[in-house]
Amino acid sequence: MSVELGPRLKTVASFLEGVTLLCDVGSDHAYLPVYAIQQGLITHAIAGEVVKGPYESAMQTVQDYVLNDKISVRLGDGLDVVTSEDEVKAISICGMGGELIARILEQGRVNGTLTGNEKLVLQPNVAEHLLRQWLVDHHYEILEEVVVEDHHRLYEIIVAEKREESVPLTATQIKFGPKLIENPTDLVIRKWERQLRKIEEILTQLKQSKEIPIEKVETFNHQYLELKGLIDHANR
């Protein structure tokens, strides 16, 4: 009996190949660690949950797939589930906002449970730019980024590793992703086009206001032109 994952988590798992110990934060029934072990991508995992219900669900999944010797399910906040005896080689945090993922990483950094020796495989649902900013601020290099479609939603996956020195990014790269700009696939372009339509809707609403907020209009106009430029360049 093997676990089936959707395209989003399957892609996350593909970046974990060769990892001896994964810490999966907010593990959602521990499906990702179970799948990664079944596929021979990783050898061991910690599945962390902060709420008792999901923690018990993850425990049940691990038991059902007879992987108690490979996956340690732990109750705790973020990276607090990691101990000094663990030698975690990769951390995956999926399905949360970019700001929350950055906060979990920062808490781990301050507490010493994020050592900088781990590969980070991160899948923010929103506010990807805030997560990239945290990575830049703490000397992480973004190695890979992809956009994946799952149940008609488009998700960004970011893979990063710690470096000795800062790996700076431009404001545009932080907003839209350095690797996505480098390699704008059809899904990347489609995600940008969706964002562009949202900006167009906001601009239309702002311009229909009784008192037009000029500064806001200018801000969204700038965002529109910046994104339109990326899309036009990608379509060449």
Side-chain angles (χ1 to χ4, degrees), residues 132-133 136 167-178 181 226:
R132 286 193 194 95
Q133 188 63 63
V136 168
V167 184
L169 297 177
T170 65
T172 302
Q173 287 174 320
I174 284 170
K175 251 187 272 183
F176 302 108
I181 293 169
E226 186 178 33

Side-chain angles (χ1 to χ4, degrees), residues 2 16 44 58 70 84 101 116 127 139 145 177-178 195 203 215 224 229:
S2 59
L16 300 172
H44 291 83
K70 303 277 188 186
S84 56
I101 295 174
H139 297 192
E145 293 174 304
Q195 288 174 282
L203 280 168
E215 278 187 29
Y224 178 87

Side-chain angles (χ1 to χ4, degrees), residues 39-50:
Q39 297 299 315
L41 299 169
I42 67 173
T43 50
H44 291 83
I46 296 163
E49 285 290 358
V50 70

Side-chain angles (χ1 to χ4, degrees), residues 28-48:
D28 185 23
H29 293 80
Y31 290 144
L32 176 63
V34 169
Y35 174 87
I37 286 172
Q38 287 181 337
Q39 297 299 315
L41 299 169
I42 67 173
T43 50
H44 291 83
I46 296 163

Side-chain angles (χ1 to χ4, degrees), residues 207-225:
K207 287 171 183 176
Q208 287 171 350
S209 303
K210 284 184 180 177
E211 288 185 26
I212 296 173
I214 293 165
E215 278 187 29
K216 265 191 181 179
V217 169
E218 284 177 356
T219 299
F220 282 106
N221 263 332
H222 174 74
Q223 287 179 18
Y224 178 87
L225 292 171

